[in-house]
Amino acid sequence: IKETIRAVKDSNYPKELLEIIVINDGSKDRTLEIIREIKGIKIIDKKNSGKADSLNIALKIAVGELIAVVDADSFPDKDSLKKLASYFKDKEIGAVTASIFVKNKNNLLEKLQNIEYIMIAYGRKLLEYINGVFVTPGALSMYRKEALLKIGGFDKNNLTEDIEIAWNLLSKLYKIKMCFSAKTYTVVPDTFKKWWKQRLRWDIGGFQTLYKYKNTLFKKEYDTLG
Protein backbone atom coordinates (compact mmCIF):
# COMPACT_ATOMS: atom_id res chain seq x y z
CA ILE A 1 0.00 0.00 0.00
CA LYS A 2 2.90 2.35 0.70
CA GLU A 3 4.28 1.83 -2.82
CA THR A 4 0.84 2.32 -4.36
CA ILE A 5 0.34 5.65 -2.57
CA ARG A 6 3.87 6.74 -3.50
CA ALA A 7 3.16 5.95 -7.17
CA VAL A 8 0.03 8.12 -7.08
CA LYS A 9 1.77 10.95 -5.20
CA ASP A 10 4.64 10.90 -7.74
CA SER A 11 2.16 11.51 -10.56
CA ASN A 12 2.77 14.60 -12.70
CA TYR A 13 -0.93 15.45 -12.30
CA PRO A 14 -1.25 19.03 -10.93
CA LYS A 15 -0.67 18.67 -7.19
CA GLU A 16 -3.24 21.34 -6.29
CA LEU A 17 -5.91 19.25 -8.05
CA LEU A 18 -4.84 15.84 -6.73
CA GLU A 19 -6.83 14.50 -3.77
CA ILE A 20 -5.76 11.08 -2.49
CA ILE A 21 -8.29 9.11 -0.44
CA VAL A 22 -7.09 5.80 1.02
CA ILE A 23 -9.77 3.36 2.19
CA ASN A 24 -8.95 0.80 4.86
CA ASP A 25 -11.78 -1.71 4.44
CA GLY A 26 -11.49 -3.49 7.79
CA SER A 27 -8.01 -4.93 7.20
CA LYS A 28 -6.48 -7.03 9.99
CA ASP A 29 -2.84 -6.45 9.11
CA ARG A 30 -0.66 -3.30 9.46
CA THR A 31 -2.37 -1.36 6.65
CA LEU A 32 -3.91 1.29 8.89
CA GLU A 33 -0.69 1.74 10.85
CA ILE A 34 1.29 2.20 7.62
CA ILE A 35 -1.04 4.67 5.93
CA ARG A 36 -1.31 6.81 9.06
CA GLU A 37 2.42 7.51 8.70
CA ILE A 38 1.95 8.99 5.23
CA LYS A 39 1.29 12.73 4.91
CA GLY A 40 -0.93 14.44 2.36
CA ILE A 41 -3.68 11.82 2.15
CA LYS A 42 -7.21 11.40 3.49
CA ILE A 43 -7.99 8.14 5.29
CA ILE A 44 -11.30 6.33 5.58
CA ASP A 45 -11.08 3.64 8.25
CA LYS A 46 -14.16 1.41 8.30
CA LYS A 47 -15.46 -2.07 9.01
CA ASN A 48 -15.20 -4.53 6.14
CA SER A 49 -18.11 -4.08 3.74
CA GLY A 50 -16.48 -4.75 0.39
CA LYS A 51 -14.83 -2.67 -2.29
CA ALA A 52 -17.99 -1.30 -3.94
CA ASP A 53 -19.38 0.07 -0.67
CA SER A 54 -15.97 1.52 0.21
CA LEU A 55 -15.78 3.33 -3.13
CA ASN A 56 -19.28 4.74 -2.66
CA ILE A 57 -18.29 6.12 0.75
CA ALA A 58 -15.20 7.77 -0.73
CA LEU A 59 -17.28 9.12 -3.61
CA LYS A 60 -19.38 11.12 -1.14
CA ILE A 61 -16.38 13.05 0.21
CA ALA A 62 -14.28 13.36 -2.98
CA VAL A 63 -14.21 16.97 -4.18
CA GLY A 64 -12.95 16.50 -7.74
CA GLU A 65 -14.93 16.24 -10.97
CA LEU A 66 -12.92 13.16 -11.95
CA ILE A 67 -12.51 10.05 -9.82
CA ALA A 68 -9.59 7.67 -10.40
CA VAL A 69 -9.71 4.22 -8.80
CA VAL A 70 -6.43 2.45 -8.04
CA ASP A 71 -6.30 -0.96 -6.36
CA ALA A 72 -3.90 -1.37 -3.44
CA ASP A 73 -1.74 -3.79 -5.45
CA SER A 74 -1.35 -1.56 -8.51
CA PHE A 75 1.14 1.14 -9.47
CA PRO A 76 0.33 3.77 -12.15
CA ASP A 77 3.00 5.46 -14.27
CA LYS A 78 3.69 9.13 -13.54
CA ASP A 79 1.80 10.44 -16.56
CA SER A 80 -1.13 8.00 -16.49
CA LEU A 81 -3.62 10.14 -14.53
CA LYS A 82 -2.97 13.16 -16.74
CA LYS A 83 -3.45 11.10 -19.90
CA LEU A 84 -6.74 9.63 -18.64
CA ALA A 85 -8.06 13.04 -17.62
CA SER A 86 -7.49 14.46 -21.12
CA TYR A 87 -10.32 12.30 -22.51
CA PHE A 88 -13.06 13.96 -20.47
CA LYS A 89 -13.33 17.01 -22.69
CA ASP A 90 -16.03 14.98 -24.42
CA LYS A 91 -19.13 15.21 -22.19
CA GLU A 92 -20.41 11.84 -23.45
CA ILE A 93 -17.49 9.97 -21.88
CA GLY A 94 -18.28 8.44 -18.51
CA ALA A 95 -15.05 6.51 -17.93
CA VAL A 96 -11.59 5.84 -19.30
CA THR A 97 -9.42 2.85 -18.50
CA ALA A 98 -5.69 2.22 -18.84
CA SER A 99 -3.32 -0.49 -20.06
CA ILE A 100 -2.66 -2.97 -17.29
CA PHE A 101 0.62 -4.87 -17.18
CA VAL A 102 2.02 -7.45 -14.78
CA LYS A 103 4.48 -6.24 -12.13
CA ASN A 104 5.65 -9.63 -10.83
CA LYS A 105 7.02 -11.85 -13.62
CA ASN A 106 8.93 -14.54 -11.72
CA ASN A 107 7.38 -18.00 -12.07
CA LEU A 108 5.71 -19.58 -15.12
CA LEU A 109 2.16 -18.71 -14.03
CA GLU A 110 3.06 -15.03 -13.61
CA LYS A 111 4.83 -14.96 -17.00
CA LEU A 112 1.80 -16.51 -18.71
CA GLN A 113 -0.43 -13.88 -17.13
CA ASN A 114 1.96 -11.21 -18.39
CA ILE A 115 1.38 -12.42 -21.97
CA GLU A 116 -2.36 -12.54 -21.31
CA TYR A 117 -2.47 -8.97 -19.96
CA ILE A 118 -0.54 -7.63 -22.97
CA MET A 119 -3.04 -9.31 -25.32
CA ILE A 120 -5.95 -7.92 -23.29
CA ALA A 121 -4.54 -4.38 -23.55
CA TYR A 122 -4.31 -4.56 -27.34
CA GLY A 123 -7.72 -6.23 -27.61
CA ARG A 124 -9.40 -3.66 -25.38
CA LYS A 125 -7.97 -0.79 -27.46
CA LEU A 126 -9.42 -2.37 -30.61
CA LEU A 127 -12.78 -2.81 -28.88
CA GLU A 128 -12.80 0.90 -28.08
CA TYR A 129 -13.39 1.66 -31.76
CA ILE A 130 -16.77 -0.07 -31.64
CA ASN A 131 -17.59 1.30 -28.16
CA GLY A 132 -17.03 -2.19 -26.78
CA VAL A 133 -15.03 -1.58 -23.59
CA PHE A 134 -17.13 -3.58 -21.14
CA VAL A 135 -14.96 -3.35 -18.02
CA THR A 136 -13.13 -0.55 -16.19
CA PRO A 137 -10.53 -2.49 -14.15
CA GLY A 138 -9.71 -1.46 -10.60
CA ALA A 139 -5.98 -1.44 -11.33
CA LEU A 140 -6.54 2.01 -12.86
CA SER A 141 -9.67 3.58 -14.29
CA MET A 142 -11.00 7.13 -14.20
CA TYR A 143 -14.66 8.17 -14.03
CA ARG A 144 -16.71 11.32 -14.40
CA LYS A 145 -18.04 11.89 -10.88
CA GLU A 146 -21.30 13.33 -12.19
CA ALA A 147 -21.91 10.10 -14.14
CA LEU A 148 -21.19 7.88 -11.13
CA LEU A 149 -23.62 9.83 -8.96
CA LYS A 150 -26.25 9.82 -11.69
CA ILE A 151 -26.22 6.01 -11.99
CA GLY A 152 -26.12 5.43 -8.21
CA GLY A 153 -22.46 4.52 -7.77
CA PHE A 154 -20.99 1.03 -7.55
CA ASP A 155 -23.13 -2.09 -7.04
CA LYS A 156 -22.49 -3.57 -3.57
CA ASN A 157 -24.08 -6.88 -4.55
CA ASN A 158 -21.83 -7.62 -7.53
CA LEU A 159 -18.58 -9.56 -7.10
CA THR A 160 -16.98 -7.58 -9.92
CA GLU A 161 -17.97 -3.96 -9.41
CA ASP A 162 -15.59 -2.88 -12.19
CA ILE A 163 -17.55 -4.90 -14.76
CA GLU A 164 -20.97 -3.86 -13.46
CA ILE A 165 -20.14 -0.15 -13.36
CA ALA A 166 -19.03 -0.27 -17.00
CA TRP A 167 -22.27 -1.95 -18.12
CA ASN A 168 -24.25 0.52 -16.02
CA LEU A 169 -22.57 3.48 -17.72
CA LEU A 170 -23.02 1.97 -21.19
CA SER A 171 -26.69 1.25 -20.50
CA LYS A 172 -27.12 4.98 -19.75
CA LEU A 173 -25.43 5.68 -23.11
CA TYR A 174 -22.16 7.00 -21.70
CA LYS A 175 -19.02 6.17 -23.67
CA ILE A 176 -16.04 4.32 -22.23
CA LYS A 177 -12.58 4.86 -23.69
CA MET A 178 -9.26 3.06 -23.32
CA CYS A 179 -6.01 5.05 -23.17
CA PHE A 180 -3.32 2.62 -24.33
CA SER A 181 -0.43 4.88 -23.35
CA ALA A 182 -1.68 5.27 -19.76
CA LYS A 183 0.00 2.37 -17.99
CA THR A 184 -0.35 0.73 -14.61
CA TYR A 185 1.38 -2.34 -13.19
CA THR A 186 -0.44 -4.82 -10.98
CA VAL A 187 0.54 -7.80 -8.80
CA VAL A 188 -1.03 -10.99 -10.19
CA PRO A 189 -1.66 -14.29 -8.36
CA ASP A 190 1.54 -16.31 -7.92
CA THR A 191 -0.08 -19.72 -7.30
CA PHE A 192 -2.70 -21.70 -9.21
CA LYS A 193 -5.02 -21.70 -6.19
CA LYS A 194 -4.99 -17.89 -5.94
CA TRP A 195 -5.40 -17.57 -9.72
CA TRP A 196 -8.37 -19.97 -9.75
CA LYS A 197 -10.08 -18.06 -6.92
CA GLN A 198 -9.59 -14.77 -8.78
CA ARG A 199 -10.94 -16.09 -12.09
CA LEU A 200 -13.90 -17.76 -10.39
CA ARG A 201 -14.83 -14.41 -8.86
CA TRP A 202 -14.45 -12.69 -12.24
CA ASP A 203 -16.71 -15.24 -13.94
CA ILE A 204 -19.41 -15.19 -11.27
CA GLY A 205 -19.41 -11.38 -11.30
CA GLY A 206 -19.61 -11.41 -15.08
CA PHE A 207 -22.68 -13.66 -15.02
CA GLN A 208 -24.24 -11.47 -12.32
CA THR A 209 -23.75 -8.46 -14.58
CA LEU A 210 -25.09 -10.24 -17.65
CA TYR A 211 -28.23 -11.24 -15.75
CA LYS A 212 -28.73 -7.73 -14.35
CA TYR A 213 -28.54 -6.12 -17.80
CA LYS A 214 -30.20 -8.89 -19.82
CA ASN A 215 -32.95 -6.47 -20.88
CA THR A 216 -30.40 -4.43 -22.88
CA LEU A 217 -29.34 -7.36 -25.06
CA PHE A 218 -30.24 -7.32 -28.78
CA LYS A 219 -31.64 -3.80 -28.56
CA LYS A 220 -30.19 -1.21 -30.96
CA GLU A 221 -30.85 1.73 -28.64
CA TYR A 222 -28.09 0.42 -26.32
CA ASP A 223 -25.50 0.49 -29.11
CA THR A 224 -22.75 -2.15 -28.77
CA LEU A 225 -23.99 -3.21 -25.34
CA GLY A 226 -27.18 -4.38 -27.05
Side-chain angles (χ1 to χ4, degrees), residues 14-55:
K15 295 295 185 267
E16 69 275 11
L17 299 178
L18 186 63
E19 177 190 34
I20 302 174
I21 301 173
V22 184
I23 311 159
N24 181 47
D25 184 36
S27 66
K28 296 179 181 178
D29 53 19
R30 292 182 57 244
T31 296
L32 185 60
E33 178 188 338
I34 292 168
I35 61 179
R36 278 178 171 166
E37 295 174 355
I38 302 172
K39 296 180 180 179
I41 63 172
K42 294 180 180 179
I43 299 172
I44 296 175
D45 182 33
K46 52 183 281 297
K47 292 182 179 180
N48 176 257
S49 62
K51 182 181 172 184
D53 185 55
S54 298
L55 290 174

Coordinates of all heavy atoms in Angstrom, one line a residue, residues 14-55:
P14 N -1.4 17.8 -11.8 CA -1.3 19.0 -10.9 C -1.5 18.8 -9.5 O -2.6 18.3 -9.1 CB -2.3 20.0 -11.5 CG -2.4 19.5 -13.0 CD -2.3 18.0 -12.9
K15 N -0.6 19.0 -8.6 CA -0.7 18.7 -7.2 C -1.8 19.4 -6.5 O -2.4 18.8 -5.6 CB 0.7 19.0 -6.5 CG 1.8 18.2 -7.0 CD 1.7 16.7 -6.6 CE 2.9 15.9 -7.0 NZ 2.8 15.3 -8.4
E16 N -2.1 20.6 -6.9 CA -3.2 21.3 -6.3 C -4.6 20.8 -6.6 O -5.6 21.1 -6.0 CB -3.2 22.8 -6.7 CG -3.5 23.1 -8.1 CD -2.3 23.0 -9.1 OE1 -1.3 22.4 -8.7 OE2 -2.5 23.4 -10.2
L17 N -4.7 19.9 -7.6 CA -5.9 19.2 -8.0 C -6.0 17.8 -7.6 O -7.0 17.1 -7.9 CB -6.1 19.3 -9.6 CG -6.1 20.8 -10.2 CD1 -6.2 20.7 -11.7 CD2 -7.3 21.5 -9.6
L18 N -4.9 17.3 -7.1 CA -4.8 15.8 -6.7 C -5.2 15.6 -5.3 O -4.6 16.0 -4.3 CB -3.4 15.3 -7.0 CG -3.2 13.8 -6.8 CD1 -4.0 13.0 -7.8 CD2 -1.7 13.5 -7.0
E19 N -6.4 14.9 -5.1 CA -6.8 14.5 -3.8 C -6.7 13.0 -3.6 O -7.3 12.2 -4.5 CB -8.3 14.9 -3.6 CG -8.9 14.5 -2.3 CD -10.4 14.7 -2.2 OE1 -11.1 14.6 -3.3 OE2 -10.9 15.0 -1.1
I20 N -6.0 12.5 -2.7 CA -5.8 11.1 -2.5 C -6.5 10.6 -1.3 O -6.3 11.0 -0.1 CB -4.3 10.8 -2.3 CG1 -3.5 11.2 -3.5 CG2 -4.1 9.2 -2.1 CD1 -2.0 11.1 -3.4
I21 N -7.5 9.7 -1.5 CA -8.3 9.1 -0.4 C -7.9 7.6 -0.3 O -8.1 6.9 -1.3 CB -9.8 9.3 -0.7 CG1 -10.2 10.8 -0.9 CG2 -10.6 8.6 0.4 CD1 -11.6 11.0 -1.3
V22 N -7.5 7.2 0.8 CA -7.1 5.8 1.0 C -8.1 5.1 1.9 O -8.4 5.6 3.0 CB -5.7 5.7 1.7 CG1 -5.3 4.2 1.8 CG2 -4.7 6.5 0.8
I23 N -8.7 4.0 1.4 CA -9.8 3.4 2.2 C -9.2 2.1 2.8 O -8.8 1.2 2.1 CB -11.0 3.0 1.3 CG1 -11.3 4.2 0.4 CG2 -12.1 2.5 2.1 CD1 -12.1 3.9 -0.8
N24 N -9.3 2.0 4.1 CA -9.0 0.8 4.9 C -10.2 0.0 5.2 O -11.0 0.4 6.1 CB -8.2 1.1 6.2 CG -7.8 -0.1 6.9 OD1 -7.3 -1.0 6.3 ND2 -8.1 -0.1 8.2
D25 N -10.5 -1.0 4.4 CA -11.8 -1.7 4.4 C -11.7 -2.9 5.4 O -11.8 -4.0 5.1 CB -12.2 -2.2 3.0 CG -13.5 -2.9 3.0 OD1 -14.4 -2.5 3.7 OD2 -13.7 -3.9 2.3
G26 N -11.5 -2.5 6.7 CA -11.5 -3.5 7.8 C -10.3 -4.5 7.7 O -10.5 -5.6 8.1
S27 N -9.2 -4.0 7.3 CA -8.0 -4.9 7.2 C -7.6 -5.3 8.6 O -7.8 -4.6 9.6 CB -6.9 -4.3 6.5 OG -6.4 -3.1 7.2
K28 N -6.9 -6.5 8.7 CA -6.5 -7.0 10.0 C -5.0 -7.1 10.1 O -4.4 -7.7 11.0 CB -7.1 -8.4 10.2 CG -8.6 -8.4 10.3 CD -9.2 -9.8 10.5 CE -10.7 -9.7 10.6 NZ -11.3 -11.1 10.8
D29 N -4.3 -6.5 9.1 CA -2.8 -6.5 9.1 C -2.4 -5.0 9.5 O -3.1 -4.4 10.3 CB -2.3 -6.9 7.7 CG -2.9 -6.0 6.6 OD1 -3.4 -4.9 6.9 OD2 -2.8 -6.5 5.4
R30 N -1.2 -4.6 9.0 CA -0.7 -3.3 9.5 C -1.0 -2.2 8.5 O -0.4 -1.1 8.6 CB 0.9 -3.4 9.6 CG 1.3 -4.3 10.7 CD 2.9 -4.4 10.8 NE 3.4 -3.0 10.9 CZ 4.2 -2.4 10.0 NH1 4.5 -3.1 8.9 NH2 4.7 -1.2 10.3
T31 N -2.0 -2.4 7.6 CA -2.4 -1.4 6.6 C -2.7 0.0 7.3 O -2.1 1.0 6.9 CB -3.6 -1.8 5.8 OG1 -3.2 -3.0 5.1 CG2 -4.0 -0.7 4.9
L32 N -3.5 0.0 8.3 CA -3.9 1.3 8.9 C -2.7 2.0 9.5 O -2.5 3.2 9.4 CB -5.0 1.1 9.9 CG -5.6 2.3 10.6 CD1 -6.2 3.2 9.5 CD2 -6.6 1.9 11.6
E33 N -1.9 1.2 10.2 CA -0.7 1.7 10.8 C 0.2 2.4 9.8 O 0.8 3.5 10.0 CB 0.0 0.6 11.6 CG 1.3 1.0 12.3 CD 2.1 -0.2 12.8 OE1 1.5 -1.2 13.0 OE2 3.3 0.0 13.0
I34 N 0.4 1.7 8.7 CA 1.3 2.2 7.6 C 0.8 3.5 7.0 O 1.5 4.4 6.8 CB 1.5 1.1 6.6 CG1 2.3 -0.1 7.2 CG2 2.2 1.7 5.3 CD1 2.3 -1.3 6.3
I35 N -0.5 3.5 6.6 CA -1.0 4.7 5.9 C -1.2 5.9 6.8 O -1.1 7.0 6.4 CB -2.4 4.4 5.2 CG1 -3.5 4.0 6.3 CG2 -2.2 3.3 4.2 CD1 -4.8 3.7 5.6
R36 N -1.3 5.7 8.1 CA -1.3 6.8 9.1 C 0.0 7.5 9.1 O 0.1 8.7 9.6 CB -1.7 6.3 10.5 CG -3.3 6.2 10.6 CD -3.7 5.7 11.9 NE -5.1 5.7 12.1 CZ -5.8 5.1 13.0 NH1 -5.2 4.4 14.0 NH2 -7.1 5.2 13.1
E37 N 1.1 6.9 8.7 CA 2.4 7.5 8.7 C 2.6 8.4 7.5 O 3.6 9.1 7.4 CB 3.5 6.4 8.8 CG 3.5 5.6 10.1 CD 4.4 4.4 10.0 OE1 5.0 4.2 8.9 OE2 4.6 3.7 11.0
I38 N 1.8 8.3 6.5 CA 1.9 9.0 5.2 C 1.2 10.3 5.3 O 0.0 10.4 5.6 CB 1.4 8.1 4.1 CG1 2.2 6.8 4.0 CG2 1.6 8.9 2.7 CD1 1.6 5.8 3.0
K39 N 1.9 11.4 4.9 CA 1.3 12.7 4.9 C 0.6 13.0 3.6 O 1.0 12.5 2.5 CB 2.4 13.8 5.2 CG 3.0 13.6 6.6 CD 4.0 14.7 6.8 CE 4.6 14.6 8.2 NZ 5.7 15.6 8.5
G40 N -0.3 14.0 3.6 CA -0.9 14.4 2.4 C -2.0 13.6 1.8 O -2.3 13.7 0.6
I41 N -2.6 12.7 2.6 CA -3.7 11.8 2.2 C -4.9 11.9 3.1 O -4.7 12.3 4.3 CB -3.2 10.4 2.0 CG1 -2.8 9.8 3.4 CG2 -2.1 10.2 1.0 CD1 -2.5 8.3 3.3
K42 N -6.0 11.5 2.6 CA -7.2 11.4 3.5 C -7.5 9.9 3.7 O -7.3 9.1 2.8 CB -8.4 12.1 2.8 CG -8.3 13.6 2.7 CD -9.6 14.1 2.0 CE -9.4 15.6 1.9 NZ -10.6 16.2 1.2
I43 N -7.8 9.5 4.9 CA -8.0 8.1 5.3 C -9.4 7.9 5.7 O -10.0 8.6 6.5 CB -7.0 7.7 6.4 CG1 -5.6 7.9 6.0 CG2 -7.3 6.3 6.8 CD1 -4.6 7.7 7.1
I44 N -10.0 6.8 5.1 CA -11.3 6.3 5.6 C -11.1 5.0 6.2 O -10.6 4.0 5.6 CB -12.3 6.2 4.4 CG1 -12.6 7.5 3.8 CG2 -13.6 5.5 4.9 CD1 -13.5 7.5 2.5
D45 N -11.3 4.9 7.5 CA -11.1 3.6 8.3 C -12.5 3.1 8.6 O -13.2 3.8 9.3 CB -10.2 3.9 9.5 CG -10.0 2.6 10.3 OD1 -9.9 1.5 9.6 OD2 -9.9 2.7 11.5
K46 N -12.8 1.9 8.1 CA -14.2 1.4 8.3 C -14.2 -0.1 8.5 O -13.2 -0.8 8.2 CB -15.0 1.8 7.1 CG -14.4 1.3 5.7 CD -15.2 1.8 4.5 CE -16.3 0.8 4.3 NZ -15.9 -0.6 4.0
K47 N -15.3 -0.6 8.9 CA -15.5 -2.1 9.0 C -15.6 -2.6 7.6 O -16.0 -2.0 6.7 CB -16.7 -2.4 9.8 CG -16.6 -2.1 11.3 CD -17.9 -2.5 12.0 CE -17.8 -2.2 13.5 NZ -19.1 -2.6 14.2
N48 N -15.2 -3.9 7.5 CA -15.2 -4.5 6.1 C -16.6 -4.6 5.6 O -17.5 -5.1 6.2 CB -14.6 -5.9 6.2 CG -14.7 -6.7 4.9 OD1 -15.6 -7.5 4.7 ND2 -13.8 -6.3 4.0
S49 N -16.8 -4.0 4.4 CA -18.1 -4.1 3.7 C -18.0 -4.3 2.2 O -18.9 -4.2 1.5 CB -18.9 -2.8 4.0 OG -18.2 -1.7 3.5
G50 N -16.7 -4.5 1.8 CA -16.5 -4.7 0.4 C -16.0 -3.5 -0.3 O -16.2 -2.4 0.1
K51 N -15.4 -3.8 -1.5 CA -14.8 -2.7 -2.3 C -15.9 -1.7 -2.8 O -15.7 -0.5 -2.7 CB -14.0 -3.2 -3.5 CG -13.3 -2.2 -4.3 CD -12.6 -2.8 -5.5 CE -12.1 -1.7 -6.4 NZ -11.4 -2.3 -7.6
A52 N -17.0 -2.2 -3.4 CA -18.0 -1.3 -3.9 C -18.5 -0.3 -2.9 O -18.6 0.9 -3.2 CB -19.1 -2.1 -4.5
D53 N -18.9 -0.8 -1.7 CA -19.4 0.1 -0.7 C -18.3 1.1 -0.2 O -18.6 2.2 0.0 CB -19.8 -0.8 0.5 CG -20.5 0.1 1.6 OD1 -21.4 0.8 1.3 OD2 -20.0 0.0 2.8
S54 N -17.1 0.6 -0.2 CA -16.0 1.5 0.2 C -15.8 2.6 -0.8 O -15.6 3.8 -0.4 CB -14.7 0.7 0.3 OG -14.8 -0.3 1.3
L55 N -15.9 2.3 -2.1 CA -15.8 3.3 -3.1 C -16.9 4.3 -3.1 O -16.7 5.5 -3.3 CB -15.8 2.7 -4.5 CG -14.5 1.9 -4.8 CD1 -14.7 1.1 -6.2 CD2 -13.3 2.8 -4.9

